[in-house]
Amino acid sequence: MKAFFEGIQYLFVDILFAPLDLLRSLELKSWFGANTVNWILMCICAYAIVYWCKQLKLHQDNGEENQDTTAHSFLTK
């Protein structure tokens, strides 16, 4: 049973977390290089928010948006 848990430890520590160890060692040399993944994810999220807002505006301009507060029965009480 001990070998099973040591196998799980080896998988996570030595294999799956190796890229994170690389980023941690890269931070001492270049902060921007170590945070490249964060910058990429922030750019993707910013693009998604802009796209979502454009789609909301498009549906509102077409009159497809139902903004009636009585759309849900619990709001009419």
Side-chain angles (χ1 to χ4, degrees):
M1 191 65 170
K2 182 179 177 184
F4 174 72
F5 289 111
E6 287 176 351
I8 292 174
Q9 175 188 353
Y10 171 76
L11 173 70
F12 280 94
V13 173
D14 295 336
I15 297 174
L16 297 178
F17 289 156
L20 297 177
D21 290 336
L22 176 68
L23 287 175
R24 183 176 53 194
S25 65
L26 180 64
E27 184 179 13
L28 298 175
K29 299 174 187 172
S30 169
W31 181 87
F32 287 103
N35 288 301
T36 303
V37 175
N38 295 336
W39 290 106
I40 291 170
L41 290 176
M42 284 193 299
C43 290
I44 291 171
C45 288
Y47 175 77
I49 289 171
V50 169
Y51 177 78
W52 183 31
C53 289
K54 284 184 178 182
Q55 290 297 315
L56 286 173
K57 177 76 171 137
L58 179 71
H59 286 289
Q60 187 172 359
D61 291 343
N62 287 340
E64 299 173 6
E65 185 71 25
N66 184 8
Q67 295 183 351
D68 187 14
T69 57
T70 60
H72 300 287
S73 62
F74 60 87
L75 293 175
T76 59
K77 294 180 182 179

